[in-house]
Amino acid sequence: MRTLPLTLAAALAATLLLTACDDDKTGDDDAKNADPANGSACAIGDLGVEVGAGAAPAAGDTGNVTVTLTNQGAQCTLKGFPAVDLTAEDSTTSVSPEEGAKAQPLTLGKGGTTSFTITYVRGEAGSAKSLAVRKASFTLPGAPEDAHDLTWSYGEVARRDGGGAAQASVSGFESSGD
């Protein structure tokens, strides 16, 4: 068996590549390392934050606000969803995770990046069926007391069924880079 079929060789190479990415933390150690009590949950103070937006141009349109985080400290883990609140002058509403989304643990080494996206439906300016958002705040899993505020300049956000909750959702953390 001197030669392997190309697909088998590619599968073997992919397996070796994936195992080479393991940083010697396996099994039960992964759960322990994601535990904030052990000091490895990512903290806002150790992350650079950049915001990019594809703002919804008109009422009824969908917009996206992407938050990119760059780890500037020691290796850390994100396990869960970012908690996002949208604040208007007279109220605050929490943003739910995207329907059907499942959070995947993500470990960030120093210099590693990840992002999450807030998707929203633009509301009609001045309407009781809209939330005049002025600020979005987010916290990371394992560090709920450490919030980061973003100025919201993307227009009003529609309310679900004209009620209090915003027509918005938040994605899980996405891997960035290699």
Side-chain angles (χ1 to χ4, degrees):
M1 191 162 161
R2 287 187 87 178
T3 62
L4 294 172
L6 185 56
T7 54
L8 181 58
L12 184 58
T15 301
L16 291 173
L17 180 62
L18 288 174
T19 56
C21 292
D22 188 353
D23 52 4
D24 298 328
K25 292 183 179 149
T26 58
D28 293 334
D29 286 340
D30 284 341
K32 286 185 218 166
N33 290 327
D35 183 357
N38 287 337
S40 65
C42 294
I44 295 284
D46 292 333
L47 302 173
V49 179
E50 290 183 40
V51 179
D61 291 342
T62 300
N64 294 301
V65 178
T66 301
V67 179
T68 302
L69 306 171
T70 303
N71 185 9
Q72 299 169 339
Q75 179 174 300
C76 63
T77 301
L78 295 164
K79 188 174 182 181
F81 288 91
V84 177
D85 290 328
L86 300 177
T87 303
E89 287 182 23
D90 59 348
S91 65
T92 298
T93 185
S94 294
V95 177
S96 299
E98 290 176 348
E99 189 173 322
K102 294 187 180 181
Q104 298 294 322
L106 179 65
T107 299
L108 290 177
K110 185 170 182 149
T113 61
T114 186
S115 62
F116 65 89
T117 301
I118 303 165
T119 301
Y120 69 99
V121 175
R122 184 153 181 183
E124 187 176 328
S127 171
K129 295 179 181 181
S130 297
L131 185 64
V133 176
R134 300 294 174 242
K135 174 178 80 170
S137 299
F138 71 89
T139 61
L140 301 175
E145 68 288 340
D146 192 14
H148 184 85
D149 294 337
L150 308 170
T151 300
W152 188 270
S153 58
Y154 315 112
E156 296 191 21
V157 177
R159 295 178 189 260
R160 293 189 191 283
D161 302 320
Q167 285 190 36
S169 63
V170 62
S171 73
F173 294 102
E174 305 275 331
S175 294
S176 300
D178 293 335

